[in-house]
Amino acid sequence: MNTNNSPSAHVHRDDEAQKMGMWFFLFTELLLFGGLFLVYSIYRFKNPDAFAHGAKELNVVLGAINTIVLLTSSLTAALSITAIQKGQKKLALGLVLFTIFCALIFLVNKYFEWGHKFEIGIYPGSDLLRAIPRGEALFFVLYYFMTGLHAIHVIVGAIILGFMARYIQTGLINSDYYVLLENGALYWHLVDLIWIFLFPLLYLIH
Amino acid sequence: MEAKASTFVQGVDTAFIVILGISLFFLITITAAMIYFVIRYNRKKNPKPKDVKDNTRLEILWTAIPTILVLLMFWYGWIGYTPMRRIPAGALTIKATGRMWSWNFEYENGKQSEYLVVPVGKPVKLELYSPDVLHSLYIPAFRIKEDVVPGVNNVMWFQSDKPGEYDILCAEYCGLRHAYMLSKVIVKPVEEYIQWYHATVDSNSMADVEPIGLQVLKKNACISCHSLDGSKIVGPSFKGLWGSERDVIDENGKRVKVNADENYIQTSIYEPNQQVVEGFNKGLMISYKEAITDEELRQIIEYLKTLK
Amino acid sequence: MEEHKSHIIDYLTQIKVWVALVIFTLITVATAEVDFAMLTVAVALTIASVKSILVLLYFMHLKFESRILNLFVIVVMLVFLAMIVFTFFDYIFRLSHGS
Amino acid sequence: MGENVQHLSFLQDNGGKKGILAWITTTDHKRIGLLYFYSLTVFFLMGVVLGILMRLELMNPGKDLVEPQTYNSLFTLHGVIMIFLFVIPGIPAVFGNIALPLLLGARDVAFPKLNLLSWYLYILGALMALSTLLFGNAPDTGWTFYAPYSVRTGTNVTMAVLAAFILGFSSILTGLNFIVTIHRMRAPGMTWFRMPLFSWALYATAWIQLLATPVVGITLLMIAVERMLGIGLFDPSLGGDPILYQHLFWIYSHPAVYIMILPGMGVISEMIPVFARRRIFGYKAIAYSSLAIAFIGYFVWGHHMFTSGMSGPARVIFSLLTFLVAVPSAIKVFNWVATLYGGSIDLKPPLLYALGFIFLFLIGGLTGLVNGALAADVHIHDTYFVVGHFHYVMFGGTGFAFFAALHYWFPKVYGKMYNVKHATRAFWVLFTGFNILYFPMLVVGMMGMPRRYYDYLPQFHIPNLISTFGSWIVVSGLIYMIVVLIQGYRKGTPAGKNPWGGLTLDWQTDSPPITENFVELPIVTEGPYEYK
Ligand code: HEA
Ligand code: HEA
Ligand code: CUA
Ligand SMILES: [Cu+2]
């Protein structure tokens, strides 16, 4: 085997590798929720009526609004990349901030939704959950677990986007180097992707 | 383990022999080849290696042959197993309860026994039931095993053609006394079995000389968690319990003192997680509401009174 | 280690995708009220799948990424599906054949 | 390769930092590999001690040494330590880290900082798991954490489960790093089929780490939440399904056994051609069989549940697939042995361990086939036969491959050579003791002794006694081996760049390698084992 006599290569930037790494990370996230989807589908299969009954308790309107909020935030996250590619720094910044704003709206909605459930006594470990049929209790436990884990991802996503906004401001992210923003947006889309399935599974299928 | 303790032995042992036979063949040939090559092509003897090219035909060959062999193994495993799942109609049905940490067998006429007594040459179906955690009913001599899963109605069956006594072991880890969750199958000639089945007193235990309350405690395996001599096993000892003052944690997590009277004993047995004795764990003891009648409860209490 | 510039997706395409997504959401909410019996689940999941494919292809730029990455996404989905299918092999036969 | 006097070896180059700080803040893949090696050895030795204590208890029926509760914690922690802290991270985190960039002709892994982060997560997880040992109340569920017992027991299961969750995360990040490294950092001219086979093995492993680990992560998280909030996810008295827990657990934990063995197989594939001075036989067959094992390995998990009450058709399908996953392993074994044919074989310690691996893995793999057969497994499930099986594959397989790698890359990493004669003797002690320790377990398992038994019936006594005796020999062998290696480290003769005559890129650079591995990045023009 020969060695290369050209000047030794610099440690050089590899955007492609960064993005690939992000995608692999998303795969693990998908399977993390995948495990939950599996649990959900088995329990639903075993207790179809109880699950349908439980789903009726959820507020479809709030769920639908949140879906649209997330879809919109996904759009603005995607648009911000186009903006930065075109060198429109202000626009990009605005779009990222708007995305974070949507995340907050989502969380506020979630807060009211959960708050209402707590008020009527549906929360993990509550007396009511102990009293209702097992299948239905399972539904609510899963509801909290799945939306809770998702909400954590929303929060993490918003924090990541916060950093992105900062980096756009400082110019670390610019029209020449924006893989960070792309990765942040990818993460955000994943959060959206998961919600796209959570919404019908939890709220709609009666 | 000579002869055929159960009808499955043949099929299972054949599967073992086929697989172990093929395995042994490969183990010996491959090991021999390695040793031979290491000696024959040692660097001292053979300083210049041959240049051997890859050989696709060889690769295909040693993919195909193992594939065929494993399919053969699968086949033997399968046919040895199918009879285990085909329960003959009209099998004698017995409810087998595995709980921490004892076995109990209940017959169609309500007779209960800590040993599994069965007639020779008759199919026996066991309906497996667990009130607490996973167990597994294992009879090595019969080559069968099936988990006892709470909330799931597993069944198993067997037919033994050889009278005798065989070990029953618990093969799924179930906590502290897992290794002591033992019992026996007693295979009896049919007439003897019928006699046993109709006898009111269980001739396999010397129950009648013990106080009736203790019998109830034994039958429900309370004493695998509660000692009678003051030592701590999993639950508090029964000794000195009656009438004493107990520190318990109630459902809201508050510490309270209660007096161990009839009421307290009753809730402790029917709703054990309502008041949990301090220093012990919730969830280990399950409710015995279904298992223990009011009559038996009274007998337990009478017996506890004698344990000072 | 080729240095390749990402494709720039114009604003309009993405907005169109968003409109489609919102419409699908409304459809799925509307059809949830209708009772297709066994089909309800299938319809809801199909719509969700279509939506997620749109997100993947456009918002996540998968359409403009390398072939290998697309392949990976498909493999991951298939592995996940297979996990579900194999688990159901147990439950379907267990529950439909009674105890 | 010219004048590289000015380049410091990675062992000396502290990057301007002092002492321990230069190590725990390093991003150099070789240093991180060594960090893993040292910490892992400590944990491993703890696991060994627990194993020895168990054997002492099992020497005779009845109580010999400890209380039942202690015994139950012993095998749980022994399992948790060995699985999550030793065999799963083992070869990838230590030798993958050290060797992968060298083999590929790269300066480092793709994400050096992430690499360091995985080590920190590993340490965090390890401390959490071990804290239960120190502060008492160690978990007593077995490493499988089966519900509902794991939900009910009063021991500190929550901590152990969260530790496993974090360790899983560490494993995922390592896998992610390796995949991207292999995709993006190969030296110019190194096509996929010019990669050394160890990289192929790590590549296949990384895919399993990425796709299987999250499933067990979420499952264990559910157990933790179930315990903390008292809700019912798997507890049947609250509507849960304990068999579903088993599915989820094994969806990860079966593929995990291939996380353990594939890197080991990769190591063996490196060594055999080097010591036989021959091009490896069936390069592509070995490379593809790694991928095949990784892929089929996802769909056989049900073979751990043949007696759980799973449906009949599922049992049959899982059994069939289990047999199919054995075929690619067989292909590897045949190709290894064929590589020896006509070679010029030098029986140095690394090769000795490699051949020992093949023999022990054969026994382990073939007993795996017995487990895979429905009829046979109904009898031996959850008996000592299974315990024998998995020690043969995990310790005899992965453990011996780990030793092989250790003896192989030792001169590269430290630049010094250990005493070959003593290392050879240590091997024979270890190998002999191993069989005396574990073979009786296969026998006593067939006789019907269940596992996780604190005490046993008298008919099982003799094999248990022999086994305990074997454990002492194994420990002596282990101590012998460690002493030889430490002596080598302190007083060994300089090893030179290429003591074994390997052709892969790791042997073309200095021993120990310089910080950025190569003075000039190599250009690759042919396959890794082209001995002429
Ligand atoms: C390194 C880890 C490792 C590896 C590689 C394997 C490899 C295999 N294992 Fe093992 N296994 C474990 C670790 C591992 N296992 C552990 C830890 C457990 C217990 C978990 C617990 O319950 O705690 C377990 C349990 C276990 C069970 C469950 C037993 C039970 O609980 O009842 C089964 C059942 O099918 C099984 C099967 C197999 C098979 C078929 C292989 C195959 O991959 C083996 C393939 C290899 C060969 C076959 C040898 C080479 C072949 C030849 C030389 C050719 C000749 C062969 C042919 C004709 C095909 N294993
Ligand atoms: C790789 C994994 C591994 C290893 C190496 C070992 C090593 C040992 N194991 Fe193992 N064991 C498990 C994994 C392992 N075990 C698992 C997963 C279980 C199941 C737990 C459960 O049921 O939940 C188990 C269960 C188990 C049982 C069954 C308990 C029961 O069911 O009741 C027993 C019983 O004797 C036992 C004994 C031993 C002994 C004596 C050793 C050793 O002490 C033997 C001596 C070993 C050595 C002396 C070291 C060899 C050295 C190396 C591999 C590399 C070190 C490198 C350096 C130091 C540089 N183990
Ligand atoms: Cu019951 Cu083990
Ligand atoms: Cu397995």
Side-chain angles (χ1 to χ4, degrees):
Chain A
M1 268 172 216
N2 300 327
T3 44
N4 175 357
N5 285 330
S6 66
S8 62
H10 296 288
V11 181
H12 87 150
R13 195 180 103 194
D14 188 356
D15 292 356
E16 217 33 45
Q18 303 259 336
K19 218 192 297 176
M20 192 179 246
M22 192 64 200
W23 271 100
F24 283 120
F25 184 70
L26 295 191
F27 293 163
T28 70
E29 289 275 13
L30 271 176
L31 280 147
L32 189 79
F33 278 94
L36 274 177
F37 282 124
L38 180 54
V39 173
Y40 171 90
S41 48
I42 294 289
Y43 283 158
R44 192 190 143 75
F45 178 73
K46 289 183 76 175
N47 315 286
D49 299 334
F51 269 50
H53 207 259
K56 288 217 178 74
E57 290 292 312
L58 301 187
N59 191 331
V60 179
V61 176
L62 266 185
I65 292 177
N66 258 352
T67 310
I68 292 179
V69 168
L70 270 194
L71 287 173
T72 311
S73 70
S74 239
L75 171 70
T76 53
L79 290 179
S80 76
I81 293 168
T82 310
I84 202 84
Q85 283 170 325
K86 292 187 171 170
Q88 296 156 323
K89 180 171 161 181
K90 279 239 172 65
L91 181 59
L93 184 61
L95 286 165
V96 171
L97 290 177
F98 182 78
T99 311
I100 299 174
F101 176 66
C102 287
L104 293 182
I105 295 184
F106 180 90
L107 289 173
V108 169
N109 261 342
K110 192 94 283 163
Y111 172 79
F112 282 119
E113 201 187 329
W114 278 27
H116 177 65
K117 295 263 143 18
F118 269 68
E119 247 165 55
I120 59 173
I122 301 180
Y123 55 89
S126 75
D127 295 337
L128 186 62
L129 273 206
R130 276 185 222 284
I132 60 179
R134 295 301 180 219
E136 248 173 86
L138 268 181
F139 175 83
F140 286 113
V141 166
L142 279 173
Y143 160 78
Y144 274 107
F145 203 100
M146 293 167 100
T147 57
L149 194 67
H150 181 260
I152 293 175
H153 280 75
V154 172
I155 295 170
V156 173
I159 294 173
I160 291 177
L161 289 173
F163 277 100
M164 295 307 130
R166 177 83 193 128
Y167 292 156
I168 294 176
Q169 231 174 9
T170 60
L172 178 70
I173 295 177
N174 53 49
S175 62
D176 197 39
Y177 178 65
Y178 47 81
V179 64
L180 284 179
L181 182 60
E182 282 184 297
N183 281 350
L186 277 177
Y187 188 85
W188 189 253
H189 296 311
L190 176 92
V191 172
D192 186 22
L193 216 54
I194 286 164
W195 185 258
I196 286 178
F197 282 93
L198 283 183
F199 173 57
L201 285 181
L202 292 175
Y203 292 74
L204 293 183
I205 303 179
H206 327 309
Chain B
M1 271 158 253
E2 38 4 315
K4 306 285 172 280
S6 88
T7 49
F8 303 136
V9 172
Q10 175 92 50
V12 173
D13 287 3
T14 312
F16 268 110
I17 290 165
V18 170
I19 300 173
L20 288 176
I22 298 176
S23 298
L24 214 57
F25 169 77
F26 276 98
L27 181 64
I28 292 172
T29 359
I30 293 175
T31 311
M34 284 196 304
I35 295 173
Y36 174 74
F37 289 158
V38 167
I39 296 170
R40 167 68 185 76
Y41 300 109
N42 198 283
R43 189 158 299 167
K44 291 201 195 82
K45 277 197 208 143
N46 196 34
K48 280 211 97 49
K50 286 189 200 155
D51 191 24
V52 186
K53 290 263 171 315
D54 282 5
N55 185 332
T56 314
R57 275 176 50 205
L58 208 53
E59 298 288 350
I60 293 174
L61 194 70
W62 66 41
T63 308
I65 291 178
T67 308
I68 294 167
L69 288 178
V70 290
L71 289 178
L72 190 77
M73 296 176 183
F74 165 71
W75 172 254
Y76 275 98
W78 192 15
I79 56 170
Y81 158 82
T82 30
M84 299 184 191
R85 291 284 98 195
R86 211 170 286 140
I87 304 173
L92 175 69
T93 303
I94 301 171
K95 180 177 170 193
T97 302
R99 58 159 61 103
M100 289 159 136
W101 290 277
S102 71
W103 296 102
N104 182 285
F105 301 95
E106 188 177 337
Y107 290 75
E108 272 157 351
N109 68 351
K111 186 180 178 81
Q112 303 208 4
S113 165
E114 58 178 311
Y115 296 113
L116 176 56
V117 180
V118 296
V120 72
K122 290 259 157 59
V124 176
K125 173 180 164 193
L126 299 181
E127 288 178 343
L128 304 172
Y129 170 74
S130 162
D132 41 44
V133 299
L134 300 174
H135 305 276
S136 190
L137 198 150
Y138 179 29
I139 311 173
F142 292 0
R143 309 286 189 274
I144 49 163
K145 172 186 298 128
E146 184 81 12
D147 288 5
V148 186
V149 184
V152 179
N153 305 315
N154 281 348
V155 290
M156 69 200 287
W157 84 279
F158 63 82
Q159 174 180 330
S160 176
D161 293 337
K162 216 176 117 201
E165 292 191 6
Y166 309 94
D167 291 319
I168 293 180
L169 307 126
C170 176
E172 183 64 65
Y173 177 70
C174 53
L176 189 70
R177 294 178 58 79
H178 164 59
Y180 296 106
M181 192 167 155
L182 309 170
S183 181
K184 278 190 190 312
V185 203
I186 301 172
V187 183
K188 289 188 188 239
V190 179
E191 310 81 65
E192 266 181 57
Y193 167 75
I194 291 176
Q195 213 177 4
W196 175 87
Y197 182 65
H198 290 295
T200 35
V201 183
D202 186 348
S203 57
N204 287 303
S205 73
M206 348 197 305
D208 34 6
V209 296
E210 286 172 343
I212 184 105
L214 180 57
Q215 287 180 38
V216 177
L217 291 179
K218 278 196 172 160
K219 191 181 81 189
N220 290 291
C222 312
I223 48 171
S224 53
C225 295
H226 299 282
S227 77
L228 305 176
D229 60 1
S231 61
K232 174 181 166 183
I233 313 178
V234 174
S237 175
F238 283 148
K239 187 174 178 180
L241 167 60
W242 178 257
S244 67
E245 188 148 273
R246 318 296 298 165
D247 287 322
V248 297
I249 316 279
D250 70 7
E251 273 187 300
N252 308 320
K254 276 210 289 288
R255 265 189 65 177
V256 285
K257 280 198 189 303
V258 287
N259 189 35
D261 53 13
E262 279 176 36
N263 232 334
Y264 171 76
I265 303 284
Q266 175 165 4
T267 28
S268 291
I269 295 172
Y270 286 172
E271 306 292 343
N273 291 332
Q274 245 175 39
Q275 295 177 320
V276 179
V277 185
E278 202 177 11
F280 291 89
N281 261 297
K282 200 171 157 165
L284 282 173
M285 180 167 163
I286 43 125
S287 166
Y288 283 81
K289 209 169 194 149
E290 256 93 79
I292 292 181
T293 60
D294 288 344
E295 172 69 16
E296 286 172 322
L297 186 70
R298 227 198 58 245
Q299 292 163 343
I300 292 177
I301 292 174
E302 285 314 311
Y303 177 69
L304 288 184
K305 285 180 183 166
T306 65
L307 283 180
K308 280 287 180 262
Chain C
M1 297 185 194
E2 69 286 21
E3 205 62 17
H4 96 169
K5 274 270 158 251
S6 290
H7 181 97
I8 301 185
I9 315 174
D10 62 278
Y11 295 123
L12 194 63
T13 318
Q14 311 201 39
I15 293 172
K16 278 187 200 156
V17 170
W18 176 78
V19 172
L21 287 170
V22 172
I23 291 174
F24 275 124
T25 308
L26 297 179
I27 293 178
T28 192
V29 173
T31 51
E33 298 304 316
V34 193
D35 190 8
F36 296 120
M38 284 300 286
L39 276 179
T40 323
V41 183
V43 170
L45 286 183
T46 312
I47 295 179
S49 306
V50 173
K51 283 166 73 179
S52 58
I53 289 172
L54 282 177
V55 171
L56 279 166
L57 287 181
Y58 291 95
F59 287 176
M60 299 172 89
H61 298 190
L62 207 50
K63 194 168 176 211
F64 313 99
E65 297 286 357
S66 59
R67 281 254 298 287
I68 187 92
L69 196 59
N70 279 277
L71 182 72
F72 286 168
V73 174
I74 293 170
V75 168
V76 171
M77 295 298 172
L78 287 182
V79 168
F80 173 55
L81 267 182
M83 281 178 190
I84 294 199
V85 169
F86 277 89
T87 313
F88 266 95
F89 255 116
D90 177 9
Y91 282 87
I92 287 176
F93 290 108
R94 181 133 57 91
L95 297 186
S96 61
H97 287 228
S99 61
Chain D
M1 226 187 267
E3 62 291 82
N4 40 25
V5 248
Q6 77 277 26
H7 295 286
L8 282 177
S9 91
F10 82 98
L11 288 176
Q12 294 159 325
D13 182 2
N14 278 343
K17 296 187 193 106
K18 280 217 192 72
I20 183 115
L21 205 63
W23 281 85
I24 63 174
T25 60
T26 181
T27 55
D28 180 85
H29 65 98
K30 302 176 286 309
R31 285 198 164 198
I32 294 176
L34 284 182
L35 284 178
Y36 268 114
F37 175 60
Y38 299 136
S39 36
L40 188 130
T41 305
V42 171
F43 302 138
F44 172 75
L45 291 177
M46 288 179 156
V48 168
V49 171
L50 300 180
I52 296 297
L53 289 177
M54 280 194 294
R55 277 306 345 147
L56 282 177
E57 173 54 49
L58 292 175
M59 191 164 149
N60 302 303
K63 182 185 162 182
D64 284 333
L65 192 66
V66 297
E67 295 296 328
Q69 184 64 36
T70 316
Y71 181 82
N72 294 346
S73 299
L74 280 183
F75 69 70
T76 304
L77 282 169
H78 171 78
V80 168
I81 291 176
M82 287 304 190
I83 299 258
F84 294 111
L85 298 181
F86 175 59
V87 267
I88 287 183
I91 296 179
V94 176
F95 296 107
N97 256 324
I98 291 177
L100 181 66
L102 288 167
L103 290 169
L104 296 178
R107 299 224 178 276
D108 207 321
V109 293
F111 308 115
K113 284 187 199 139
L114 198 66
N115 205 8
L116 185 63
L117 176 66
S118 341
W119 180 73
Y120 275 104
L121 288 176
Y122 171 76
I123 293 294
L124 176 66
L127 291 181
M128 283 169 66
L130 294 175
S131 71
T132 61
L133 188 64
L134 298 179
F135 303 125
N137 213 6
D140 65 339
T141 56
W143 79 281
T144 47
F145 301 115
Y146 270 13
Y149 186 73
S150 61
V151 181
R152 305 240 178 115
T153 173
T155 54
N156 205 345
V157 172
T158 311
M159 185 59 109
V161 158
L162 291 177
F165 181 80
I166 289 178
L167 290 168
F169 221 89
S170 159
S171 170
I172 288 175
L173 294 183
T174 305
L176 189 153
N177 221 333
F178 286 178
I179 289 201
V180 178
T181 307
I182 292 171
H183 269 283
R184 303 293 306 172
M185 313 261 298
R186 278 169 286 134
M190 181 172 287
T191 57
W192 282 88
F193 289 111
R194 284 185 192 158
M195 275 199 323
L197 285 164
F198 186 38
S199 342
W200 270 105
L202 287 174
Y203 186 73
T205 310
W207 270 104
I208 313 180
Q209 286 173 303
L210 282 181
L211 298 190
T213 319
V215 179
V216 80
I218 194 73
T219 311
L220 295 180
L221 203 60
M222 281 158 95
I223 290 280
V225 170
E226 187 162 359
R227 284 181 67 89
M228 289 188 292
L229 299 183
I231 54 175
L233 280 163
F234 297 118
D235 190 334
S237 66
L238 295 171
D241 182 346
I243 297 182
L244 182 59
Y245 171 82
Q246 296 178 19
H247 276 294
L248 287 159
F249 182 82
W250 292 114
I251 283 178
Y252 164 73
S253 295
H254 181 81
V257 311
Y258 297 120
I259 299 180
M260 305 169 198
I261 201 71
L262 278 173
M265 293 168 154
V267 166
I268 303 307
S269 311
E270 285 307 307
M271 253 157 258
I272 295 200
V274 170
F275 290 94
R277 281 288 183 282
R278 255 206 49 194
R279 171 156 19 91
I280 193 147
F281 195 83
Y283 174 96
K284 284 197 179 171
I286 296 182
Y288 283 135
S289 62
S290 290
L291 296 182
I293 291 177
F295 187 72
I296 308 174
Y298 275 109
F299 310 119
V300 308
W301 76 77
H303 65 208
H304 296 272
M305 301 165 60
F306 284 156
T307 69
S308 67
M310 192 166 61
S311 78
R315 296 187 205 202
V316 175
I317 288 166
F318 280 124
S319 170
L320 182 62
L321 287 167
T322 299
F323 279 106
L324 292 182
V325 82
V327 176
S329 300
I331 295 174
K332 278 182 199 279
V333 172
F334 293 135
N335 279 298
W336 290 330
V337 176
T339 306
L340 293 175
Y341 168 78
S344 171
I345 299 170
D346 190 7
L347 200 59
K348 286 275 165 41
L351 183 65
L352 207 49
Y353 276 103
L355 299 183
F357 166 96
I358 296 180
F359 178 79
L360 300 175
F361 175 70
L362 269 175
I363 299 187
L366 295 166
T367 50
L369 296 176
V370 182
N371 292 339
L374 284 170
D377 189 66
V378 168
H379 178 50
I380 55 184
H381 169 69
D382 262 336
T383 66
Y384 262 81
F385 190 88
V386 175
V387 178
H389 157 69
F390 67 65
H391 281 98
Y392 265 98
V393 274
M394 289 203 295
F395 181 11
T398 314
F400 271 64
F402 188 93
F403 298 152
L406 188 57
H407 285 83
Y408 182 66
W409 277 302
F410 184 93
K412 175 56 49 186
V413 171
Y414 295 111
K416 292 187 191 157
M417 187 57 96
Y418 47 84
N419 184 320
V420 169
K421 204 171 83 197
H422 283 292
T424 307
R425 281 193 201 149
F427 166 82
W428 284 111
V429 179
L430 206 55
F431 181 80
T432 315
F434 185 95
N435 287 294
I436 300 177
L437 168 57
Y438 294 116
F439 200 82
M441 290 193 186
L442 296 174
V443 176
V444 82
M446 296 249 268
M447 289 165 66
M449 174 170 164
R451 62 193 280 207
R452 296 171 175 170
Y453 259 30
Y454 164 72
D455 195 358
Y456 49 82
L457 296 170
Q459 66 262 36
F460 304 132
H461 186 198
I462 299 299
N464 272 298
L465 192 64
I466 299 175
S467 174
T468 301
F469 174 66
S471 75
W472 302 333
I473 306 184
V474 171
V475 169
S476 325
L478 179 71
I479 294 174
Y480 191 4
M481 180 188 92
I482 293 178
V483 169
V484 171
L485 290 179
I486 292 180
Q487 281 295 330
Y489 173 73
R490 292 176 49 215
K491 305 201 189 116
T493 48
K497 266 189 186 173
N498 194 353
W500 314 124
L503 293 184
T504 43
L505 295 176
D506 46 341
W507 300 110
Q508 314 312 319
T509 183
D510 295 343
S511 309
I514 59 173
T515 301
E516 297 231 297
N517 295 345
F518 303 94
V519 181
E520 281 151 0
L521 277 188
I523 292 183
V524 180
T525 53
E526 56 182 4
Y529 314 108
E530 295 298 326
Y531 289 93
K532 299 276 160 47

